[in-house]
């Protein structure tokens, strides 16, 4: 055994076997609870002194059913994603992408964008690291768009709350938009619109860190750490999102929804994007709203457009990227991605 | 005296990393000079891509996330 008895930070270090027993145990427990959510939420709803089929009763039922459901799903997804992503790193991704000059760079970058762990707060050093390693700007954009756009949290919640059909559609189109937007921007020769200092930069090589050899328990710990960090940060957005979803579910009349977000009105898709971009939330917060919108008969294309623009185009991220991109380049970035989202929205409103 | 640089744009984990370096140093009973680097240009020049990253006496030892106290102890006492 190592001598870490005086280590104040790791006083709660658990033995390995506890991890091998504990993780499956907690997963099973969560799964059992997940299966009992309907009776549990009905029981809780019945405690309120309102009629179950009134507007308020419907809203309460939606809320008390969705809160534990979303939190359970979120915890599971974040844990599994955290463990899987421990095999990837921005440094490895950069090495893979730097060797790819051909057309395959774009879909590969989009795929790695989903698998590579990075938080939006380090998107600037990551961006510079990619560009200075000779990775084309367009490929870098495919990577940066795919990360949030087809993140596992959004997909997993969509699967759990709305169904696999729509989750699959979202996956295919989100991935295509990330790939194609990068490709289009790559063709536009936008390098001249980087901030001057980025263009002139000859970044040093990444310090070749000895690759940490992680045990399975280390990876499980990373998963738990991710849960603590991400669920601890987004739970408030989840509650707000479910609150809005509950209000829509309980109070918004269906004919009004059809008028505003139905497939008939041509302007509903651009309106959804316009509303979606400045909305600052995350996938976990927006999907309960999507669930309620679709339940009330909102058109699929309009709803997809809304969801994609909320998740993929966020103002705070643009403000961060302002450090390396000129306003002009940011405008092009938004325009290209928004065009892809609009096309997706119109396509589904037209098809269905 | 060792010079420790903590690279990060000022996120929560970057502050936590700095605090951890301080604590480990005081546990070891050594004085270190901690410098926080949050300017993207300097980060790029140092080759930092994932934050928080840590260097000791100019040598990169860690990148991407809160380092483990046990590891920090090794790096600081090496």
């Amino acid at each position: 055994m190592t001598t870490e008895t005086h280590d104040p930070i790791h006083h709660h270090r658990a033995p390995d076997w506890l991890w091998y027993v504990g993780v499956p145990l907690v997963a099973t427990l969560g799964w059992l609870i997940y299966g009992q959510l309907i009776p549990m939420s009905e029981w809780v709803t019945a405690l309120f002194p309102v009629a179950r089929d009134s507007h308020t009763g419907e809203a309460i039922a939606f809320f008390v059913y969705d809160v534990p459901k979303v939190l359970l799903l979120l915890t599971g997804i974040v844990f599994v994603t955290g463990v899987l992503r421990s095999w990837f790193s921005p440094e490895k991704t950069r090495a893979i992408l730097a060797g790819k000059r051909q057309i395959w760079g774009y879909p590969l970058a989009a795929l790695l964008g989903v698998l590579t762990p990075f938080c939006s707060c380090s998107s600037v050093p990551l961006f510079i690291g990619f560009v200075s390693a000779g990775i084309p700007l367009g490929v870098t954009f495919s990577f940066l768009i795919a990360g949030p756009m087809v993140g596992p949290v959004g997909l997993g919640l969509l699967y759990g709350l709305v169904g696999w059909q729509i989750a699959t559609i979202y996956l295919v189109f989100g991935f295509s938009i990330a790939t194609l937007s990068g490709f289009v921007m790559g063709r536009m020769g936008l390098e001249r619109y980087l901030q001057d200092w980025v263009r002139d930069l000859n970044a040093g090589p990444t310090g070749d860190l000895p690759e940490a050899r992680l045990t399975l328990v280390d990876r499980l710990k990373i998963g738990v750490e991710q849960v603590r960090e991400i669920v601890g940060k987004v739970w408030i957005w989840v509650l707000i999102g479910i609150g809005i979803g509950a209000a829509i579910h309980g109070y918004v009349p269906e004919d009004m929804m059809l008028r505003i977000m139905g497939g008939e009105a041509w302007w509903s898709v651009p309106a959804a994007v316009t509303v979606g971009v400045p909305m600052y939330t995350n996938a976990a917060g927006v999907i309960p709203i999507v669930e309620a919108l679709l339940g009330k008969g909102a058109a699929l294309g309009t709803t997809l457009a809304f969801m994609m623009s909320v998740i993929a185009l966020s103002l705070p991220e643009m403000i961060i990227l302002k450090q390396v991109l000129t306003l002009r380049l940011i405008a092009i970035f938004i325009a290209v991605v928004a065009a892809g989202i609009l096309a997706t929205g119109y396509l589904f409103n037209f098809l269905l | 005296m060792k010079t420790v640089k903590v690279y990060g744009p000022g996120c929560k984990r970057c502050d936590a990393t700095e605090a951890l370096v301080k604590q480990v140093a005081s546990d070891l009973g050594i004085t270190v000079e901690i410098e926080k680097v949050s300017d993207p240009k300097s980060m790029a020049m140092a080759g930092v891509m994932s934050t928080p990253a840590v260097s000791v006496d100019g040598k990169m030892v860690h990148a991407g996330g809160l380092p483990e106290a046990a590891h920090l102890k090794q790096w600081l006492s090496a």
Side-chain angles (χ1 to χ4, degrees), chain A residues 4 7-10 13 90-91 94 121-122 124-126 128-130 197 201 203-206 209 229 323, chain B residues 9 11 13 20 23-24 27 40-41 43-51 60-63 68-70 73:
Chain A
E4 280 166 336
D7 186 342
I9 286 111
H10 287 103
R13 175 162 294 188
E91 289 78 10
R94 180 167 86 158
C121 62
S122 46
V124 164
L126 189 129
I128 299 169
F130 275 28
W197 68 267
L201 191 70
T206 324
L209 292 169
E229 194 179 314
Q323 296 176 65
Chain B
C11 51
R13 276 193 299 183
L20 190 63
Q23 184 178 353
V24 169
D27 284 355
K41 192 171 179 173
M43 271 193 257
M45 297 304 277
V48 170
M49 273 214 298
S50 35
T51 56
M60 274 296 163
V61 289
H62 174 84
E68 281 207 32
K73 214 174 242 183

Side-chain angles (χ1 to χ4, degrees), chain A:
Chain A
M1 293 304 281
T2 44
T3 51
E4 280 166 336
T5 38
H6 299 295
D7 186 342
I9 286 111
H10 287 103
H11 58 273
H12 52 262
R13 175 162 294 188
D16 284 4
W17 64 265
L18 204 61
W19 284 91
Y20 294 127
V21 177
V23 169
L25 206 66
V26 172
T28 312
L29 193 68
W31 186 71
L32 286 176
I33 297 174
Y34 192 82
Q36 297 303 313
L37 286 179
I38 292 180
M40 275 163 54
S41 67
E42 287 303 328
W43 183 80
V44 174
T45 309
L47 296 178
F48 288 88
V50 289
R52 174 64 180 81
D53 53 359
S54 67
H55 289 311
T56 315
E58 285 287 339
I60 293 173
F62 184 97
F63 192 83
V64 295
Y65 174 66
D66 257 32
V67 167
K69 182 168 182 172
V70 172
L71 290 179
L72 278 173
L73 276 171
L74 184 65
T75 305
I77 299 163
V78 169
F79 177 76
V80 172
T81 310
V83 173
L84 288 181
R85 281 183 174 167
S86 70
W87 273 278
F88 294 84
S89 73
E91 289 78 10
K92 275 190 218 167
T93 294
R94 180 167 86 158
I96 296 171
L97 288 178
K100 295 278 182 301
R101 299 275 150 162
Q102 307 89 345
I103 202 84
W104 290 110
Y106 297 96
L108 186 65
L111 182 67
L112 288 167
V114 178
L115 294 171
T116 308
F118 77 100
C119 82
S120 60
C121 62
S122 46
S123 53
V124 164
L126 189 129
F127 184 93
I128 299 169
F130 275 28
V131 172
S132 66
I135 296 174
L137 199 54
V139 174
T140 307
F141 275 120
S142 280
F143 176 91
L144 283 178
I145 296 166
M149 177 84 111
V150 275
V153 168
L155 279 177
L157 288 180
L158 212 48
Y159 174 84
L161 266 56
V162 184
W164 66 267
Q165 298 92 333
I166 290 175
T168 309
I169 291 173
Y170 184 87
L171 171 66
V172 170
F173 279 82
F175 193 83
S176 307
I177 290 176
T179 307
L180 288 174
S181 302
F183 178 75
V184 168
M185 280 187 276
R187 282 294 134 115
M188 290 167 87
L190 299 169
E191 276 76 5
R192 62 185 186 278
Y193 298 128
L194 291 171
Q195 297 281 18
D196 289 340
W197 68 267
V198 179
R199 233 179 321 149
D200 304 335
L201 191 70
N202 268 317
T206 324
D208 29 329
L209 292 169
E211 195 182 318
R213 249 182 244 103
L214 298 172
T215 64
L216 185 59
V217 171
D218 289 332
R219 296 181 197 278
L220 294 176
K221 273 183 203 167
I222 291 176
V224 171
E225 200 45 54
Q226 285 291 305
V227 168
R228 200 179 309 168
E229 194 179 314
I230 294 177
V231 179
K233 198 163 62 186
V234 307
W235 67 270
I236 183 75
W237 298 102
V238 170
L239 290 190
I240 293 171
I242 297 175
I244 295 172
I248 293 170
H249 178 80
Y251 297 97
V252 176
E254 249 171 70
D255 55 331
M256 184 179 141
M257 182 63 76
L258 283 177
R259 231 174 21 247
I260 300 174
M261 290 194 75
E264 303 301 311
W266 67 269
W267 46 265
S268 72
V269 177
V273 174
T274 316
V275 173
V277 174
M279 260 183 78
Y280 177 61
T281 177
N282 43 53
V286 78
I287 298 212
I289 302 178
V290 165
E291 178 193 11
L293 288 174
L294 288 173
K296 282 280 169 167
L300 179 59
T302 311
T303 313
L304 277 176
F306 170 71
M307 173 171 47
M308 285 179 164
S309 49
V310 170
I311 297 175
L313 291 171
S314 79
L315 284 181
E317 197 187 324
M318 300 302 150
I319 292 166
I320 293 173
L321 284 175
K322 177 76 181 63
Q323 296 176 65
V324 278
L325 311 180
T326 53
L327 271 180
R328 188 162 185 163
L329 186 43
I330 293 179
I332 294 173
F333 172 76
I334 295 175
V336 171
V337 177
I341 294 174
L342 285 175
T344 306
Y346 277 123
L347 180 72
F348 279 98
N349 280 359
F350 178 74
L351 285 181
L352 300 177

